[in-house]
Amino acid sequence: MQLSSSQELDKQHHYHLLRDSDLQNERTGRKWQKEVPKSETPKNKLQPDVGGRRRGRFNKYALAGAILASTNSILLGYDIGVMSGAALYIRDNLKINSTQVEILVGSLNVCSLIGSLASGKTSDCLGRRYTIVLAAATFLIGAFLMGLAPSFSFLMAGRVVAGIGVGYSLMIGPVYTAEISPAMTRGFLSSLPEVFINVGILLGYISNYALSSLPEHINWRLMLGLAALPAFAVALGVIVMPESPRWLVMKGRLVEAKRVLIKTSDSEAEADIRLAEMAKAAATLEQEPSSSSWHGQGVWKELLLRPSRPIRRILIAAIGVNFFMQASGNDAVIYYSPEVFKDAGIHGRKQQVGVTVIMGIAKTCFVFISALFLDHFGRRPLLLWGSTGMAISLVGLGLGSKYLQQCYDKPAWAIALCVVAVCADVSFFSIGLGPITWVYSSEIFPMRLRAQGSSLAISINRVVSGIVSMTFLSISEKITFGGMFFALSGIMAVGTVFFYFFLPETKGKSLEEIEILFEDKPLDGNNKGLAS
């Protein structure tokens, strides 16, 4: 018999709800503690983190679910990587100009705005799991259209469809992963989408290099059409995934949520604690809490028309980190890396594509390292380190580009400086902004607002990405690549200041706790960066 949220809460109210991160104590024999009366506990006080606490071990079921959900991100990464080389052959084969190339490249990011905006409401109605299937199926159709495109207009139609699928996957993968993950490993698991994006980028570069010797009317079609294979695999694999336990709680399906939590927890007692915490959070919903008739209604009004002060701060943090992720120009540097290397003096097509493979390997290695240490060092240190490194790398890239522009002979050291600076820029991105943007966007919103709040933040991400991608070449022609890189360096310097003041640390805290970090008086010493 299915329990209501109020029944579940009454059953648990005489217990003190521990965080996921404190369940290590429960596994060593500590019993649940009696709840401390409110008069004895400071209001909104968080339980302090214990120094030297061991990092939680990975739950295999949660890890498998996170990997399946994140596999969708390979599709976006593959498109970013493969388009950098395919655009060279599309331009020659279809006889298109630089403006059309910019529209072709940037259209996927602009159209992904549609999927990003729709994904929040869709996932609240259909569930997280079926939204992942929808994302993969949409991209599958787009990949087929691009691979079979006989003309530029047909190719653009495929980009539009694929872009909608990308928008869905960018929001739903991190949100699903955050909701299914225990607190102590959520950073690693929620950063897996960025890991898979980088794997996809590397696969796209390898596809470019392997297929570049084929006739130009065939090679780019194969490069784009091959994306249908992982999309088909994702659509099948995701069907065996469990539904998000937090979505099940919001729908009042506590028995099903308990089954999922037992599999993603280290003990049944831990699952009980997590379920009680989620049910308590669901009981605070204003409209039909924990009801099967709840489909995300009223969320946009609460987010945009009358947000509370904590929600306003959450919006600023989520939108800000997504804005600076794309304003950094990282996607544009990857899309147009052959053009950048050509301007640096590397003229052979094979050599240009070969250098992008090196860049892809560097990105993939560093994002994986960042993911492994995200739950150990925390979000803020890696984010600040990464954005500072990007600002310095872009200055070096700008200096190298300016020097090469003004000299007739292209010295090897200047070319090497540009190549190293590009690789450093994308590597620092993979350490900080790359993975942490998805982690942060998926974990800081309260449960009821998480799907649609994340979709709003990621929509900003997509708009800025499209603008940068569609104007990068045009602006660079006006102010040179060197000038463009200096401008991007300045943006990253501003971003670093923003991150320091507006993004508190969320390491080791349950999703139900994180909203407290954005209250008026944060009580954790790690959160001094939150502006008041």
Side-chain angles (χ1 to χ4, degrees):
M1 180 177 174
Q2 184 166 305
L3 299 173
S4 70
S5 61
S6 60
Q7 289 171 323
E8 183 69 17
L9 284 171
D10 289 339
K11 178 182 175 182
Q12 303 291 350
H13 263 176
H14 64 286
Y15 291 119
H16 172 58
L17 298 176
L18 299 177
R19 298 179 300 173
D20 288 351
S21 56
D22 288 333
L23 293 175
Q24 301 291 338
N25 294 330
E26 191 275 329
R27 286 194 293 273
T28 59
R30 286 184 58 185
K31 304 299 182 183
W32 289 3
Q33 302 171 351
K34 290 288 184 180
E35 183 173 350
V36 179
K38 291 182 179 179
S39 60
E40 300 177 20
T41 306
K43 187 177 180 181
N44 290 338
K45 182 172 180 60
L46 293 173
Q47 297 177 3
D49 287 332
V50 180
R53 185 173 53 203
R54 278 195 334 178
R55 179 180 172 180
R57 63 185 178 86
F58 290 115
N59 177 281
K60 294 179 180 178
Y61 196 79
L63 178 61
I67 289 174
L68 277 173
S70 303
T71 305
N72 249 342
S73 300
I74 287 182
L75 305 177
L76 171 62
Y78 181 84
D79 182 86
I80 293 173
V82 81
M83 186 54 72
S84 66
L88 300 174
Y89 304 103
I90 293 172
R91 172 184 282 188
D92 294 341
N93 183 233
L94 298 182
K95 310 301 182 187
I96 60 177
N97 56 38
S98 296
T99 301
Q100 289 175 304
V101 170
E102 285 183 321
I103 294 172
L104 176 67
V105 170
S107 59
L108 183 134
N109 295 317
V110 172
C111 294
S112 64
L113 172 65
I114 301 171
S116 297
L117 285 173
S119 59
K121 187 72 172 180
T122 302
S123 64
D124 279 340
C125 294
L126 301 181
R128 315 313 196 210
R129 183 180 59 168
Y130 288 115
T131 304
I132 294 173
V133 177
L134 177 63
T138 306
F139 193 94
L140 175 66
I141 296 170
F144 271 123
L145 291 174
M146 289 189 293
L148 300 174
S151 64
F152 179 73
S153 57
F154 202 97
L155 181 59
M156 284 297 301
R159 298 288 286 172
V160 170
V161 177
I164 295 173
V166 164
Y168 270 101
S169 65
L170 284 177
M171 190 289 293
I172 195 57
V175 166
Y176 173 87
T177 304
E179 291 189 340
I180 202 173
S181 304
M184 291 304 292
T185 55
R186 190 179 62 247
F188 172 79
L189 297 179
S190 297
S191 64
L192 286 178
E194 180 66 16
V195 173
F196 278 79
I197 286 175
N198 283 273
V199 170
I201 290 172
L202 180 57
L203 290 175
Y205 288 154
I206 293 172
S207 175
N208 283 339
Y209 190 80
L211 301 175
S212 60
S213 58
L214 295 177
E216 66 181 22
H217 67 284
I218 295 175
N219 56 13
W220 66 265
R221 288 184 171 87
L222 283 176
M223 292 174 186
L224 299 179
L226 285 175
L229 297 178
F232 183 73
V234 169
L236 290 179
V238 168
I239 294 175
V240 303
M241 291 167 52
E243 185 52 84
S244 160
R246 286 175 170 86
W247 183 81
L248 291 171
V249 168
M250 285 192 293
K251 303 293 283 187
R253 295 156 61 177
L254 299 183
V255 175
E256 295 175 61
K258 175 72 175 292
R259 293 195 196 104
V260 176
L261 287 169
I262 289 174
K263 293 179 180 179
T264 59
S265 303
D266 289 335
S267 67
E268 186 169 351
E270 178 182 335
D272 285 334
I273 296 172
R274 295 176 67 189
L275 179 61
E277 202 171 39
M278 294 174 194
K280 185 175 181 180
T284 65
L285 305 185
E286 294 181 6
Q287 295 182 358
E288 304 180 45
S290 298
S291 168
S292 59
S293 63
W294 187 80
H295 299 298
Q297 57 269 33
V299 171
W300 286 111
K301 182 185 295 184
E302 187 173 346
L303 280 172
L304 299 177
L305 298 184
R306 49 182 179 84
S308 62
R309 188 166 184 176
I311 297 302
R312 188 162 55 247
R313 288 174 168 174
I314 289 171
L315 278 173
I316 291 171
I319 291 174
V321 72
N322 276 275
F323 170 83
F324 283 109
M325 179 190 189
Q326 296 302 340
S328 70
N330 184 264
D331 280 6
V333 170
I334 296 172
Y335 274 129
Y336 301 115
S337 54
E339 299 282 348
V340 174
F341 294 136
K342 179 181 178 181
D343 188 70
I346 303 174
H347 297 293
R349 285 274 175 89
K350 200 81 169 179
Q351 288 80 5
Q352 292 169 10
V353 175
V355 175
T356 63
V357 174
I358 297 173
M359 186 173 70
I361 292 172
K363 270 183 66 68
T364 304
C365 291
F366 277 97
V367 74
F368 191 71
I369 292 171
S370 175
L372 287 175
F373 288 98
L374 196 54
D375 289 307
H376 178 73
F377 292 113
R379 284 55 157 164
R380 274 172 57 85
L382 291 180
L383 184 59
L384 293 171
W385 185 34
S387 58
T388 302
M390 287 183 70
I392 296 171
S393 300
L394 286 165
V395 168
L397 183 55
L399 290 172
S401 298
K402 279 291 187 182
Y403 183 86
L404 287 169
Q405 178 193 356
Q406 295 174 6
C407 64
Y408 180 78
D409 295 325
K410 307 289 186 182
W413 68 265
I415 296 175
L417 173 62
C418 289
V419 173
V420 171
V422 168
C423 291
D425 176 52
V426 298
S427 297
F428 278 114
F429 177 87
S430 295
I431 289 171
L433 268 172
I436 293 170
T437 298
W438 309 123
V439 175
Y440 226 83
S441 300
S442 63
E443 68 183 5
I444 63 175
F445 286 98
M447 182 164 63
R448 180 172 179 269
L449 308 179
R450 185 168 298 122
Q452 297 185 54
S454 296
S455 74
L456 174 62
I458 293 170
S459 297
I460 302 298
N461 182 300
R462 295 293 85 203
V463 169
V464 178
S465 177
I467 292 172
V468 173
S469 298
M470 296 176 74
T471 59
F472 185 84
L473 285 182
S474 299
I475 295 176
S476 297
E477 289 175 359
K478 301 287 186 183
I479 64 174
T480 74
F481 278 119
M484 187 67 169
F485 296 135
F486 285 135
L488 294 176
S489 176
I491 291 172
M492 287 317 304
V494 175
T496 303
V497 175
F498 175 87
F499 302 147
Y500 181 83
F501 285 105
F502 289 93
L503 271 63
E505 182 57 71
T506 59
K507 177 187 73 171
K509 295 175 173 61
S510 71
L511 295 180
E512 285 67 39
E513 279 185 307
I514 288 176
E515 184 181 1
I516 301 175
L517 298 177
F518 293 87
E519 297 286 354
D520 289 337
K521 296 180 180 179
L523 301 173
D524 192 321
N526 291 328
N527 301 313
K528 293 178 181 178
L530 184 62
S532 59

